[in-house]
Amino acid sequence: MKLGIIVFSSLVILLLLWVLSLRGKRKKAGFFGLAAYHYAHRGLHGDGVPENSLQAFRLAAENGYGAELDVHLSKDGRLVVMHDESLMRTAGVERNIADCTAAELSEMRLEGTAQKIPYLEEVLPIFAGKTPLIIELKPVRGNHAALSKAVCAMLREYPTLQFCIESFDPRVLLWLKRHTPEIVRGQLSCNFLRERNGLSLLLALLLTELSMNFLTVPHFVAYKFADRKRLSLRVCKRLWGVQEFSWTIRSLEEAKTASDDGALLIFEHCRP
């Protein structure tokens, strides 16, 4: 009997700790004004318009969409808008952004077009006073603090810009929580147990299950659409009231499914 009580009590404690680990900020009505928009993934790209290009961002803003973009630090501290750390896929160059200076990056072109790799200060004016941005920070080699600090410093120069910041790296969110708690922050995630991306099993499990939320306390969770049925995400949304963004939506059917579930949309190759 005593053993049964101990086991039951232990299970209850573990369940309580798991629920507490999913803690986040309860969403506000209208979600800081961000809920009124859909977000073009890396800009409104396709049909010869490269992703994360100034052309793609202009098209998004002109069509009334917000946009999601990715930011890296160059070797000389410039804020580079690009999804991959490697330049091979988008610029055909076998180098990483962190190993390049701004001068070197300025010589490269996106996807064989005349479009240059943009810097964050070139993108922000396109959206200031118009539609919002989801800004994903992509730290490498432990530069999460330097990247976060530089981005936040630049964002202060655009008081009419609506934005939020997200990252897969909980250290970015922790920095934001400590230094700029007024900025809306979000945890990016997916099923890392299936897509390890070089992560250890423990870290893959923690990130998949949103188990770092108790430290970072995000305002939202941006979760991969295909993985949206994970129990940890469901509990985080329903119990803690955290806003969900769903990525990447690629059809109107997916858009309806995600919207019906209360998620905000990050989309590409369709126009919800």
Side-chain angles (χ1 to χ4, degrees), residues 18 37-38 40 52 56 67-68 75 81-82 84 108 113-114 145 165 195 214 218 226 241 267:
W18 175 67
Y37 297 88
H38 301 314
N52 273 327
E68 181 270 356
K75 185 178 181 179
V81 178
M82 175 76 76
D84 303 354
M108 302 176 193
T113 69
I165 296 179
E195 304 173 38
F214 78 101
F267 71 92

Side-chain angles (χ1 to χ4, degrees), residues 237-238 253-263 265:
K237 287 178 58 180
R238 302 303 165 90
E253 182 181 2
E254 290 181 351
K256 185 179 186 307
T257 298
S259 293
D260 288 348
D261 204 25
L265 308 182

Side-chain angles (χ1 to χ4, degrees), residues 11 18 39 106 119 129 140 201 218 237:
L11 291 174
W18 175 67
Y39 295 84
S106 295
Y119 300 105
V140 296
L201 179 59
K237 287 178 58 180

Side-chain angles (χ1 to χ4, degrees), residues 21-37:
S21 75
L22 302 175
R23 179 189 172 202
K25 295 277 189 180
R26 187 167 295 277
K27 63 184 176 185
K28 298 181 179 180
F31 192 63
F32 305 98
L34 299 168
Y37 297 88

Side-chain angles (χ1 to χ4, degrees), residues 32 53 116 131 245:
F32 305 98
S53 65
K116 294 182 178 181
T131 56
F245 281 80

Side-chain angles (χ1 to χ4, degrees), residues 75-93:
K75 185 178 181 179
D76 50 354
R78 294 289 296 278
L79 295 170
V80 182
V81 178
M82 175 76 76
H83 181 266
D84 303 354
E85 168 64 12
S86 168
L87 293 159
M88 175 53 71
R89 181 179 65 86
T90 51
V93 179

Side-chain angles (χ1 to χ4, degrees), residues 161-226:
L161 177 70
Q162 265 192 301
F163 68 90
C164 58
I165 296 179
E166 65 180 10
S167 184
F168 283 104
D169 192 330
R171 294 174 298 180
V172 168
L173 274 68
L174 193 57
W175 190 96
L176 294 171
K177 179 188 171 190
R178 289 173 175 171
H179 298 280
T180 57
E182 72 281 3
I183 290 179
V184 178
R185 60 186 181 271
Q187 180 64 56
L188 268 164
S189 194
C190 63
N191 185 358
F192 283 110
L193 296 172
R194 185 172 59 226
E195 304 173 38
R196 292 278 289 278
N197 294 327
L199 297 173
S200 68
L201 179 59
L202 176 59
L203 188 54
L205 178 63
L206 291 174
L207 293 178
T208 297
E209 301 301 336
L210 305 173
S211 297
M212 304 299 290
N213 281 13
F214 78 101
L215 286 174
T216 60
V217 196
H219 294 88
F220 67 92
V221 170
Y223 218 90
K224 187 174 182 178
F225 176 77

